[in-house]
Amino acid sequence: MNIKFFGATREVTGSCYLVQVNNKNILIECGMFQGSHEHERHNHDPFPFDVSELNAVVVSHAHLDHSGRLPILIKEGFHGSIYTHNATVDLCKIMLIDSGYIHEKEARWENKKRERKGLTLIEPLYTTAEAETACQYFKGLTYDDELEICEGVKLTLRDAGHIIGSAILELTLVEDGVNKKVVFSGDLGHKNAPILRNPFIVKHADLVIMESTYGDRLHLSWQDTWREMGKIIAKAKSSKGNILIPAFTVGRTQELLYEFKQHFESWQLGDWQIFLDSPMGIKATKVYAKHREVYDKKAVDIQHDDGIFNLPNLHMSETTEYSMKINQISSGAIIIAGSGMCTGGRIKHHFKHNIWRQNAHVVIVGFQARGTLGRSLVDGCRHINLWGEKVQVKASIHTVGGFSAHADQEGLLEWYQGFENKPPVVLVHGEKEAMDILAQKLKYLHQVDVTQASYKQNIII
C-alpha cells in the first residue's frame, strides 16, 4: 500500500494524490493549478500516471483546485466512477461547466491575437461539452455511509464543514489480510461558520493526509466579524452611498445572505436594496437551499420558517441587462458580485460606476492573492485600471478579516487532537511557511511524526 503525491505539495492548488493498494489505483482529487500564469500552465501538463489504469476517483469537494481537471481525465480515457457527496455533484455541474465556458472564451480571445500574428491556434483546456460529459461519471454519496468502491477499498465521507458537500475522506484499505485506515482531511471548515456543521472528529487512523492552508495564523472571531460588518453598514447608510461586496460564488455568498437575514433588524437592512448580481452565485445558492440535510442545528431551525436566504428586499440579478440597471442606483444598494478577488466578473463593472464616489464603500470579505485587483485595493491603491481606463479610488475600502472557509491553526490542531491514537501526518495544501509552522506545532504538542509532502513523493502506508 502506498500514496503518491502529484499536487498541493507546498502550495494550495492542484490537489491530486494516487492511492495504490491490492493492484488497484484510486485517484484522490483532480484539481486545477490556480494563481500565476506559471502555475496555471501546469494544467496543460500530462498526468504523471496512466489514466487507463485508474479504478476509481474520489473528490472531497467542488472547488476547482480539487475538481477542475476532471474533464481532462475523462477526455484522456478514464470512464470509471467519480465518488463524492450529492451536494458536490450538484455544485460540480455548475462549476465545471462554467469553467469550460471560461476556457473556451479565453481560447477564442487568444486565438484572435494569434490569427493576426500568423501563429498556431490553441485549443481550450476543455470545453463546456467536455465538462458536461465529465458530470455524467459522478456517483453521489451521503455522509457516514461506507461503500466498497473497488476490491480492497472502502470509502466513507465525513462532513468537513468547508463548503456544502465538502468531505473528509476515510479509506479503509485491505491487502494480503492487512487492514489500514487512511484519512484525507480535504479542506477543513472554519469552526462555528454559518450554515454548516463543524468538521467531523475522526478518532482513529493509521495515516492522516492533512491540509495546512492557515497553519500559521488565527482568524478574527465570528462575534468580532459580525460586529465589524454591522459598523460598516451603519457608516455606509450615514454617507448615503452604495456598498460593493466582491464575494466568492460558493460559500462566501451564501454566508453573507444567511447573516443578512440573521441581522436584518439590528443592521437595519430593510432600508437597503440588496442585489445578488452573479448567475453562478444564484445557482450555487439554490444548491445550498436544496441540501438542508447538511445544515447545522441553527440553520435547520431557521429553514422551517421561510428558508435561510429569503430576504424581502433581495433581488437576484441573472441577466446582463438587469446588472446594468443596478448601476443606475447611486445610493442605498448592497451589491454582492463576483469575482471574489475582483479579477473579473460583474464586480468590476460596479467598480466603474461607484469606486470613484467618496460615499461608496467596498467590503473585502475574502483572501486577496498577490497581483489581483482586490489585493491592490486592500494595499491602498488610489487608482485602478478598468478596461484601459484609469479610475480614481475614492470609496472607503474595508477589509473584514474573520471570513474564511478554512480552519485556522487552532482549528487544525483541534481537529487532529481528536485522533486518539495520534497517527503520523502528511501535510499538504499549504504554502511552505504555513506547513513549517503547523508541523512544528504538531510535533511539539503531540510528539507525532510529520512529513511535508513533496511533488511525486511516494509514501508507504
Side-chain angles (χ1 to χ4, degrees), residues 246-264:
F248 300 113
T249 54
V250 177
R252 195 58 35 81
T253 290
Q254 292 74 38
E255 288 175 351
L256 284 168
L257 293 177
Y258 177 85
E259 289 302 327
F260 280 178
K261 180 162 185 173
Q262 302 314 298
H263 296 89
F264 193 81

Side-chain angles (χ1 to χ4, degrees), residues 84-101:
T84 192
H85 191 273
N86 288 314
T88 300
V89 175
D90 291 341
L91 281 180
C92 278
K93 287 177 181 177
I94 299 167
M95 299 179 73
L96 290 178
I97 291 169
D98 181 73
S99 178
Y101 168 77

Side-chain angles (χ1 to χ4, degrees), residues 66-330:
H66 293 256
S67 70
R69 295 183 81 194
L70 287 170
I72 307 172
L73 199 73
I74 302 300
K75 187 163 59 170
E76 294 194 5
F78 175 70
H79 298 300
S81 296
I82 302 168
Y83 296 96
T84 192
H85 191 273
N86 288 314
T88 300
V89 175
D90 291 341
L91 281 180
C92 278
K93 287 177 181 177
I94 299 167
M95 299 179 73
L96 290 178
I97 291 169
D98 181 73
S99 178
Y101 168 77
I102 290 171
H103 290 309
E104 287 183 56
K105 185 177 178 181
E106 288 176 345
R108 282 195 301 269
W109 182 260
E110 176 65 21
N111 283 337
K112 283 183 180 180
K113 294 187 288 183
R114 286 175 168 264
E115 201 167 19
R116 288 193 292 268
K117 296 176 181 178
L119 300 175
T120 304
L121 302 187
I122 63 168
E123 294 291 327
L125 185 64
Y126 54 85
T127 65
T128 303
E130 287 165 344
E132 290 173 344
T133 298
C135 292
Q136 298 173 15
Y137 291 87
F138 282 105
K139 299 290 185 185
L141 308 175
T142 57
Y143 292 133
D144 306 325
D145 289 333
E146 186 178 69
L147 176 71
E148 185 171 42
I149 60 174
C150 61
E151 184 184 352
V153 182
K154 292 182 179 178
L155 168 68
T156 306
L157 305 182
R158 306 293 189 184
D159 196 340
H162 172 61
I163 61 170
I164 200 161
S166 60
I168 298 162
L169 312 176
E170 292 187 25
L171 290 181
T172 302
L173 311 177
V174 181
E175 184 174 87
D176 297 331
V178 177
N179 285 47
K180 296 283 186 178
K181 182 177 176 182
V182 180
V183 174
F184 290 82
S185 73
D187 288 359
L188 295 171
H190 185 179
K191 187 177 180 181
N192 298 325
I195 306 172
L196 303 179
R197 298 187 287 253
N198 291 335
F200 182 87
I201 300 299
V202 184
K203 293 187 177 181
H204 181 272
D206 294 293
L207 181 66
V208 178
I209 316 301
M210 183 175 172
E211 70 124 315
S212 55
T213 313
Y214 290 125
D216 59 343
R217 69 191 74 176
L218 301 176
H219 298 320
L220 186 71
S221 73
W222 285 113
Q223 185 177 8
D224 288 341
T225 299
W226 305 135
R227 187 182 297 115
E228 189 173 348
M229 181 65 81
K231 287 179 180 178
I232 292 168
I233 292 172
K235 184 177 180 181
K237 183 183 177 183
S238 66
S239 65
K240 295 183 168 55
N242 292 330
I243 299 175
L244 312 180
I245 308 179
F248 300 113
T249 54
V250 177
R252 195 58 35 81
T253 290
Q254 292 74 38
E255 288 175 351
L256 284 168
L257 293 177
Y258 177 85
E259 289 302 327
F260 280 178
K261 180 162 185 173
Q262 302 314 298
H263 296 89
F264 193 81
E265 297 296 333
S266 61
W267 292 351
Q268 298 183 333
L269 289 172
D271 298 334
W272 296 83
Q273 293 185 73
I274 302 171
F275 297 91
L276 173 52
D277 190 24
S278 167
M280 193 164 81
I282 292 168
K283 291 176 183 176
T285 300
K286 290 177 181 177
V287 173
Y288 267 73
K290 172 185 175 182
H291 288 279
R292 301 178 176 185
E293 74 279 7
V294 300
Y295 291 177
D296 65 13
K297 185 181 184 305
K298 183 178 178 182
V300 167
D301 292 343
I302 292 165
Q303 62 95 11
H304 286 306
D305 182 13
D306 61 345
I308 64 173
F309 304 117
N310 294 334
L311 297 163
N313 52 347
L314 174 63
H315 309 278
M316 300 288 198
S317 169
E318 294 198 59
T319 67
T320 303
E321 291 73 23
Y322 197 135
S323 179
M324 292 170 69
K325 286 181 180 179
I326 297 171
N327 285 320
Q328 298 173 11
I329 303 171
S330 59

Side-chain angles (χ1 to χ4, degrees), residues 344-372:
R346 294 181 177 180
I347 194 65
K348 293 178 71 176
H349 292 276
H350 296 303
F351 283 171
K352 183 178 180 179
H353 290 269
N354 288 275
I355 208 164
W356 48 270
R357 300 177 188 268
Q358 201 158 1
N359 63 348
H361 296 258
V362 176
V363 184
I364 302 294
V365 294
F367 176 74
Q368 306 297 311
R370 288 187 182 91
T372 63

